[in-house]
Amino acid sequence: MDAFVPTPEQDALLRADVSALVTAGPGTGKTRTAIEKAIRVARELPSDSRQQVLFLSFSNAAVHRLSDAARIHVPFKDRRRLKFVTYHALAAEMLRMYGRFVGLPATMRIVDTLEETLLALEGGWPADGEAGYAELARRAAKERGLVTFGTMVGLAVALLKGTPLLRSLLARQYPLVIVDEFQDTSEEQWQLLQLVGDGSQVIAFGDPNQVIYGSLHAATERRMEQFQEWKGVRITPFSANNFRCGNAEILTVADAMLTGRRYTEKDGSGVEFVDIEYRSRLRAALALIWKAIREQIGKNETIAFLTPSNTLAEEVATGLRNPPVGATVRFPVHARIARDEAAHDAVLLALVAIRDCVRVPEDRTIAKAALALTAMELAWNSRRK
């Protein structure tokens, strides 16, 4: 494990034995500080106990990033003391063990997004988000043991609220809870965190400038105030020191964009502003920039393209991966695009259902094919009702 040299505020966090709410931008050492804190606490846990440090986040991507960092920086003997899960995964784990206390049958199971779509179609449920959908989903959980993604956290909250003994067990099992991407925690997830971490030390890392949904900025600010009241702490900001980017001026530009401040271009800063005719020449310009940078850096390094929306990010990545005929850079760039697993599975299900319908054309197989095609349409065309 390489040596970790913390900044003064990181060192204070590592030494303190109290909860904390940390705000810090990208590359300021949140992940490394969280991992280092977890190691220090884990090594103080009794060797004969099953206690662990719990890492929580709203997304699988954040959990995987933390887990990957632990594999790099945490000695093998200490890793068993660290647990990385999303709010939903933790909720599912508790429901499998104690779901009977909230009325779930012993044979309960978690259904994926595609199966939930089929369940809703077969049952004639209203659209997700409309009145009555959540109640029908809860009824399916209690009557048939089919727990949907949207009901997991709510059921776990109800379970913990009604079972003080389970809350005390969680406090003993997880003396330290570390929360990543706290700014994107939903209201239900926030309720779950308060119940899970009520008797534990909780350190939450977040950045209000990285809220995924712009409409949630006010809710994020309120939740940060609630955290401070809950644990009796004040916000701890990390300094602007960045350990991820070699050119600090790039981060100055990004910060100006986030905060709406004017940025004055500086000679020799390594930052260049280019006027591009949107869409028609975007791909070509970015490909040339990519090519120029690639010739200067190592093969194992990564180039980051920052965009203001996921839609634009996907458009840029798709264009770089699939150069048009006559493009300035003719070879494909290996840009990463996250695959929608539910949409992918919906296509496979539809193909299988159509095959079965062709082989055995009867009412049962025709109905299944129709449902599968409808589910595929919903998965791939989310803008249409």
Side-chain angles (χ1 to χ4, degrees):
M1 183 175 69
D2 57 308
F4 175 57
V5 182
T7 63
E9 61 267 24
Q10 290 169 349
D11 186 59
L13 181 68
L14 294 173
R15 294 175 181 275
D17 192 26
V18 294
S19 296
L21 175 59
V22 179
T23 58
T28 51
K30 296 192 299 291
T31 298
R32 188 61 193 275
T33 304
I35 294 295
E36 183 67 24
K37 178 69 175 180
I39 295 173
R40 296 188 183 193
V41 172
R43 288 176 176 172
E44 294 175 357
L45 298 177
S47 59
D48 58 346
S49 75
R50 300 182 64 181
Q51 290 178 300
Q52 293 178 299
V53 174
L54 178 66
F55 284 84
L56 271 178
S57 182
F58 81 101
S59 73
N60 282 316
V63 168
H64 291 157
R65 174 170 49 77
L66 287 164
S67 180
D68 289 343
R71 279 193 288 270
I72 296 172
H73 301 296
V74 181
F76 181 78
K77 62 183 178 63
D78 296 320
R79 291 180 201 166
R80 67 182 182 87
R81 292 291 193 176
L82 311 183
K83 181 174 182 175
F84 302 88
V85 291
T86 62
Y87 290 101
H88 282 85
L90 181 65
E93 180 182 307
M94 288 190 291
L95 292 176
R96 288 190 184 98
M97 297 177 65
Y98 307 105
R100 61 188 181 279
F101 295 115
V102 285
L104 297 181
T107 55
M108 67 137 290
R109 65 182 178 85
I110 308 298
V111 300
D112 60 24
T113 305
L114 179 57
E115 189 174 358
E116 180 180 347
T117 301
L118 292 172
L119 188 66
L121 288 170
E122 289 176 325
W125 297 3
D128 189 6
E130 293 184 359
Y133 185 96
E135 178 56 35
L136 289 169
R138 283 191 292 269
R139 188 180 302 172
K142 294 188 176 183
E143 293 178 358
R144 302 170 60 182
L146 302 177
V147 180
T148 64
F149 184 82
T151 58
M152 271 191 283
V153 174
L155 287 171
V157 167
L159 169 65
L160 291 177
K161 281 184 176 179
T163 319
L165 177 59
L166 181 54
R167 295 201 300 270
S168 65
L169 289 174
L170 288 172
R172 284 200 294 271
Q173 185 175 356
Y174 305 121
L176 172 62
V177 179
I178 297 177
V179 183
D180 193 33
E181 306 290 2
F182 180 69
Q183 75 276 355
D184 290 311
T185 301
S186 70
E187 182 59 35
E188 273 193 337
Q189 292 165 352
W190 167 233
Q191 293 178 31
L192 181 62
L193 173 61
Q194 290 177 88
L195 292 164
V196 171
D198 191 49
S200 307
Q201 180 186 4
V202 180
I203 299 176
F205 293 87
D207 183 1
N209 289 324
Q210 295 187 64
V211 177
I212 289 181
Y213 304 105
S215 59
L216 297 181
H217 271 286
T220 297
E221 290 181 4
R222 184 173 64 254
R223 197 158 295 122
M224 290 199 161
E225 292 174 357
Q226 291 171 338
F227 186 101
Q228 294 174 76
E229 294 174 3
W230 174 43
K231 289 298 185 180
V233 298
R234 293 186 177 182
I235 291 178
T236 301
F238 274 5
S239 66
N241 293 342
N242 195 282
F243 304 97
R244 189 182 301 168
C245 182
N247 187 347
E249 195 64 23
I250 295 174
L251 299 169
T252 303
V253 175
D255 185 63
M257 293 174 64
L258 284 170
T259 57
R261 291 185 292 103
R262 182 180 180 84
Y263 174 79
T264 303
E265 191 171 356
K266 302 175 183 176
D267 293 335
S269 67
V271 176
E272 181 181 358
F273 290 89
V274 182
D275 291 327
I276 300 175
E277 187 178 341
Y278 184 58
R279 291 207 189 319
S280 62
R281 297 182 181 177
L282 178 63
R283 192 268 168 194
L286 290 177
L288 285 174
I289 292 170
W290 177 91
K291 186 172 183 294
I293 295 175
R294 177 55 69 190
E295 290 172 351
Q296 300 175 24
I297 66 174
K299 292 182 178 180
N300 295 326
E301 296 189 46
T302 302
I303 299 172
F305 287 89
L306 305 180
T307 66
S309 70
N310 286 332
T311 300
L312 183 57
E314 291 179 4
E315 182 179 328
V316 169
T318 302
L320 290 172
R321 288 187 63 173
N322 302 285
V325 176
T328 306
V329 178
R330 295 180 176 81
F331 51 86
V333 177
H334 297 289
R336 300 174 186 171
I337 304 176
R339 186 172 78 177
D340 187 331
E341 295 295 340
H344 178 262
D345 292 345
V347 174
L348 297 181
L349 178 67
L351 291 172
V352 171
I354 293 170
R355 180 200 64 188
D356 293 344
C357 181
V358 171
R359 288 178 176 176
V360 185
E362 58 185 31
D363 289 349
R364 177 181 58 83
T365 56
I366 292 172
K368 284 190 173 182
L371 277 174
L373 286 169
T374 305
M376 184 182 74
E377 165 68 9
L378 290 172
W380 283 89
N381 193 3
S382 60
R383 293 187 179 182
R384 284 181 57 187
K385 293 291 183 184

